[in-house]
Each structure stands twice: as C-alpha cells, then as structure tokens.
Amino acid sequence: MALIVQKFGGTSVGDIERIRNVARRVVETKTAGNRVVVCVSAMSGETNKLVELANQAGGDEPDPREYDTLVSTGEQKTIALLAMAIQQLGHGARSFTGAQMGMLTDTDHTRARILSIDTSSLEAVLAKDEVCVIAGFQGVDDQGNITTLGRGGSDTSAVAVACALGADVCEIYTDVDGVYTTDPRLVPGARKLPRISFEEMLELASLGAKVLQIRSVKFAMRYGLPLHVRSSFGSDVGTWVVPEEDVMERLVVSGVTYNVDEAKIRLKGVADQPGIAARLFTPLGEAGIVVDMILQNFASDGTTDMTFTVPKGDYRKALEIAKKVGSEMAAEQVEGDENIAKVSVVGLGMKDHAGVATKMFNVLAEEGINIQMITTSEIKISVVIAEKYAELAIRGLHAAFVEDGASEPTTE
Ligand code: ASP
Ligand code: MG
C-alpha cells in the first residue's frame, strides 16, 4: 500500500465546487488502495486579502507574530472545508493545523524554518484508514506561537511532511499541468517535460518558473523524494521531478527562463585593491539584500568596474548603499538600471556537451541583443539583457535549443 501526499494550491481549492472536486480526487486515490495525506493552501486570493488587512490594522510592518496568527487562518479554513467534503463522500477525514500535526519551526516569523515534524498524530489517523488533511504554510514554535513559512510555503509543508512520513511520492496539484520548457504564454512551441532532475528544477525555480517554492525542491532533493507536478483540473500525467540518475533523457537544454524581478547597479572606476568588494557587499548583506550576479571587470589604470544585481524590491535601498560606499571609495560614478531581464538556459546535458554558451551568444547576436552580464554554472548559463528584449530572446533561444531538436538527449 503506497503512501501518497497530495498538495493542492489556492486555485485548486478556490471555491466549494473545487474543494468538492479535490475531495473526489483524494477519495479516488484512497479507494485505489493508497493511504493519503492531503496538504492545502488557502483559497485563492485569501492570503493576499489577509495581508492587506494586516497592513490596514498594523501598518506597513505589522507585528510579525500577529501577522502569522492572521495569515495562517486562510489554510485553517480550507482544511476544515475539505475534511467535511471528504466526509460527505463517505470517507473518514481529519484536519490538522500546523501545531496539531507536530510541525515544529523556529521563531523567525513570516519565514520560519522547519525544525522537526512529529508524525505520530498523523500516523494514528492513517492507521484508522482515514485521510489526513493538513494545513500548508504554517507551523508552531517551541513556545506555541503560530509561524508561517513564507509566501508559497505550502509546497514546502507538503514535501516536508512527505519526507518525514517516508511517502512514496508527493503530488503537487496546481493550475498548470506540469513544468514547461519555457513560459507557454510567451512561446506557443513550449512543451511539457515528462521528467526533470531536482537540480534542473532548482535552477528553473530560482530563475522565475514559479511552479514550486525553491525550499520544497531542496527538501525533496535531500531526501530523494519524487515529486509529481500535475494539473488539478485533468488527470493527465504531469512532470516528474526526480533524482538525476532517474532522468533518462539528459537534455542539453531543458528550460529557457527569464526573470524581470532584478535590477542592476554599477560602480565605475573603483580602486583595484584588496578589500573593495568586502566594503561594498558587507553593508548590502547587513541590510538583508541578497545579491545575485556579480561582475568585476579586468582592471586598467589601477581602477575597475563592479556591477551586481539585486531583487527589484531592494533596488532603492541597494542603490543608496552603493552610492554611499562609492563616494567613500572615490568611485567615478554609481548608476543603476531597473529595466533588465535575466535570461537563462538550463540543462543537465550541458555537463557533457560543449558549445552551449557559444550557441546562446550567437542566437542573441543574430537578434541584435546586447549582453550586459554573463554567469554560468555546471548546468546553467544566464545573461542580463535589456528588459524590452526579454521575449525576443526567449523565443529565439527556445527555437534554437528546444524546437529545432538541438536539445536531443545526449547518450551517456
Ligand atoms: N497561502 C500561502 C500563500 O499564498 C501559502 C501557499 O499558498 O503556498 O503564499
Ligand atoms: Mg504556489
């Protein structure tokens, strides 16, 4: 008898009819001979509404403990409704809040980390052949304070519980039917990937393919737990996210992604001497700003240029810090640009396939797109370009790497 954890996102439980639909699916899975734990998000739009209320009552930075107490209620509503709907179909079901399911976290409100999960109460209910309906996104600290795991955190709840229970699979039901080679809204030729490795999924998730919260993929990778991303509105097989050794086709490029949520800052003409990078990036780090790409030019005349990217939400603050540090270091100029896009190609097959970068640069050159920054990792190449060319770049790269069959599996 398999143990299956199913996670349903906000749109999948958006109204009562959809909740009934989820209940039917859960019951189907159970009557097929499986034990089922189902993890749900708040009904779509609910968390945003709660955040708005928090801001109305508590200002721009509401007290984090009270914020968590409030925003976690969205999931509490859904678990009770779904448990009732499953009971209506004649099956036993029981809801669990974070505290009730033993989801112990630290006290870092609004972005708490999971410390441990005591699965005994879940297991007792499963042993009675009933369905466990658990609240995503929330946990409890050792003092009994309600915590939340950050926006999109239900994915992480589901995967963490699946790992703790030693489940056979965690199915992520969502409003898309799998992981695509690129954004299908931009590129009609985008296709669904049958299988993808955790590593590739991590790169895709962090590059802006918003299918799964990154932390959930990290969890699954650490425990080797297969994920199945699929649509809650049909019964098609979606995309399996699995260990690298279980990926049969090592595509040279499995995904082309873009991210327009970053901004670029450049310090021109800073002294080329030890300690400069430390002086710049220390205050940024202290301000909680996560720097993504960093580029330092080859020095000439004893000075160099330093360029880096930060999330758009931190741009103003980062620019202010860079200007302050820049003037202390007698930089010639400090300038910023919010209108950039980071475009990346990702694929396991790059590990044993040369020439991907060259081809990428050629495609961009043919489209007349200027590259401002480049970074690479073992399975990814990213470039920063002007935001207005993002779509053009994605279409060109997808055509060259995916549609033209250039991404044929490497044999190895
Ligand atoms: N309801 C939470 C959010 O909207 C958690 C989730 O849906 O994953 O961010
Ligand atoms: Mg989500």
Side-chain angles (χ1 to χ4, degrees), residues 60-181:
D60 286 347
E61 286 176 23
D63 179 77
R65 180 184 184 278
E66 305 315 329
Y67 172 96
D68 278 354
T69 302
L70 178 70
V71 298
S72 61
T73 59
E75 275 71 13
Q76 187 166 334
K77 248 163 100 173
T78 330
I79 51 172
L81 292 170
L82 180 57
M84 290 172 195
I86 295 171
Q87 289 161 3
Q88 285 290 306
L89 297 174
H91 290 259
R94 177 150 176 174
S95 68
F96 290 87
T97 63
Q100 289 168 339
M101 74 172 119
M103 174 74 74
L104 184 70
T105 72
D106 62 17
T107 312
D108 199 359
H109 284 293
T110 78
R111 50 166 186 211
R113 307 212 137 252
I114 299 171
L115 298 177
S116 65
I117 305 174
D118 174 1
T119 54
S120 52
S121 45
L122 293 176
E123 273 164 305
V125 168
L126 288 172
K128 286 195 294 184
D129 199 31
E130 293 188 2
V131 176
C132 298
V133 183
I134 66 173
F137 183 49
Q138 57 174 270
V140 66
D141 75 0
D142 60 357
Q143 302 297 308
N145 298 300
I146 297 173
T147 55
T148 62
L149 308 179
R151 296 305 304 267
S154 295
D155 295 335
T156 301
S157 308
V159 173
V161 166
C163 293
L165 285 168
D168 296 277
V169 55
C170 181
E171 298 181 333
I172 309 279
Y173 287 90
T174 174
D175 50 359
V176 294
D177 60 356
V179 180
Y180 275 74
T181 48

Side-chain angles (χ1 to χ4, degrees), residues 260-263 310-316 338-340 387:
V260 291
D261 299 330
E262 287 186 20
V310 294
K312 258 189 193 153
D314 291 330
Y315 174 63
R316 295 276 147 218
E338 278 187 281
N339 302 313
I340 58 161
E387 183 174 353

Side-chain angles (χ1 to χ4, degrees), residues 280-291 308 310 317-319 321-322:
L280 172 61
F281 293 111
T282 305
L284 288 167
E286 281 167 0
I289 297 172
V290 181
V291 174
F308 60 95
V310 294
K317 200 160 55 165
L319 189 61
I321 293 172

Side-chain angles (χ1 to χ4, degrees), residues 176-181 189-195 229 236-239:
V176 294
D177 60 356
V179 180
Y180 275 74
T181 48
R191 60 184 178 84
K192 190 168 77 183
L193 291 158
R195 257 164 199 261
V229 180
D236 289 355
V237 173
T239 300

